């Protein structure tokens, strides 16, 4: 029997994950069955179960992949010296992530946000997924803390607010954008950029003379 190459195994796993992602995005986790995944991926049960024993395993794998792609995108952007200001960084990274997913056949800009929102909700019942989310959040939080420290070192940030508090607020801004895009759609990342830029221009009081 011919030995199956690693490239073939990786491609088959990718085929299954892509099919499952389309199903989950279109119908949601709970309305999707493993039979739906088999049909979407155009594979036999034996081929799919060789890689994933259950729908929950598929969900965890897709969630982990999503966390890694988002963390990697922010870390890569933050490696610039000096790093882009938050308004540019967040809008550029979100735009890049959404463009990659939207470039797939039949994809919608809301696909990834909808998938992420489902993952967050699923953590309320799936402890393995909840643990994965906590680890992912800690890693992304660490990346943002390092980014805020880079702002301070570059002389871009003079506030005495704790670094961790600023990082958490930036993460919350990103999560809020994802939620709005998933629920309502039509939100260009440039809107987030402009909104952050406007907030960053605020002063401590009214202009002199008023």
């Amino acid at each position: 029997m011919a030995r199956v190459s690693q490239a073939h195994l990786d491609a088959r796993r990718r085929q299954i994950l892509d099919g499952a992602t389309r199903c989950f995005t279109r119908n949601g986790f709970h309305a999707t069955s493993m039979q739906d995944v088999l049909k979407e991926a155009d594979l036999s049960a034996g081929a799919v179960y060789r890689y994933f024993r259950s729908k929950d395993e598929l969900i965890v794998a897709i969630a982990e992949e999503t966390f890694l792609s988002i963390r990697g995108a922010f870390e890569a952007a933050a490696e610039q010296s000096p790093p882009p200001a938050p308004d540019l960084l967040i809008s550029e990274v979100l735009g890049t992530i959404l463009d990659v997913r939207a470039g797939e056949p039949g994809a919608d800009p809301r696909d990834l946000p909808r998938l992420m929102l489902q993952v967050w909700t699923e953590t309320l019942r799936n402890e393995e997924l909840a643990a994965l989310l906590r680890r992912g959040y800690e890693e992304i939080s660490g990346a943002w803390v390092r980014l805020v420290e880079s702002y301070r070192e570059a002389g871009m940030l003079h506030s005495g607010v704790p670094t961790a508090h600023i990082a958490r607020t930036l993460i919350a801004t990103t999560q809020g954008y994802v939620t709005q895009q998933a629920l309502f759609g039509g939100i260009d990342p440039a809107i987030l950029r402009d909104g952050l830029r406007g907030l960053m221009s605020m002063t401590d009081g009214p202009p002199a003379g008023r």
Side-chain angles (χ1 to χ4, degrees):
M1 181 180 295
R3 185 175 181 179
V4 178
S5 69
Q6 186 61 48
H8 174 82
L9 294 173
D10 291 344
R12 182 56 55 85
R13 186 177 189 274
R14 177 79 268 147
Q15 182 179 352
I16 297 167
L17 287 174
D18 287 346
T21 298
R22 290 192 295 271
C23 286
F24 293 148
T25 301
R26 185 168 60 241
N27 302 320
F29 289 151
H30 296 291
T32 297
S33 66
M34 284 299 285
Q35 191 61 39
D36 294 328
V37 174
L38 301 180
K39 183 177 180 180
E40 185 72 28
D42 194 25
L43 293 170
S44 67
V48 172
Y49 284 110
R50 176 179 182 179
Y51 296 85
F52 302 100
R53 293 174 296 177
S54 67
K55 187 170 68 172
D56 280 350
E57 283 194 4
L58 273 169
I59 293 171
V60 169
I62 291 171
E64 187 168 26
E65 189 174 74
T66 302
F67 296 149
L68 287 173
S69 67
I70 294 171
R71 188 191 73 192
F74 277 109
E75 286 181 340
E79 287 178 358
Q80 302 176 49
S81 183
D87 57 328
L88 291 174
L89 179 67
I90 294 178
S91 63
E92 287 178 2
V93 171
L94 286 174
T96 298
I97 293 172
L98 295 178
D99 283 346
V100 169
R101 181 59 61 87
E104 297 176 358
D108 184 289
R110 296 173 66 183
D111 284 353
L112 181 59
R114 283 171 169 168
L115 187 64
M116 292 174 66
L117 200 59
Q118 288 188 72
V119 169
W120 295 341
T121 303
E122 192 69 8
T123 61
L124 300 178
R125 73 160 200 92
N126 185 325
E127 182 52 40
E128 182 181 1
L129 193 59
L132 174 64
L133 181 64
R134 286 192 293 270
R135 290 196 303 272
Y137 178 83
E138 289 171 1
E139 291 171 356
I140 291 175
S141 179
W144 272 105
V145 165
R146 292 190 294 274
L147 178 65
V148 175
E149 290 172 347
S150 296
Y151 289 149
R152 293 192 193 280
E153 292 170 2
M156 300 168 64
L157 180 63
H158 307 288
S159 169
V161 174
T163 297
H165 294 189
I166 297 174
R168 184 177 287 270
T169 300
L170 291 171
I171 294 171
T173 300
T174 305
Q175 291 174 319
Y177 171 86
V178 169
T179 300
Q180 288 191 33
Q181 184 73 304
L183 295 176
F184 310 117
I187 306 174
D188 191 301
I191 295 175
L192 189 64
R193 179 200 64 205
D194 292 344
L196 285 170
R197 186 170 295 170
L199 289 172
M200 289 162 60
S201 70
M202 290 178 64
T203 62
D204 291 334
R210 285 197 179 182

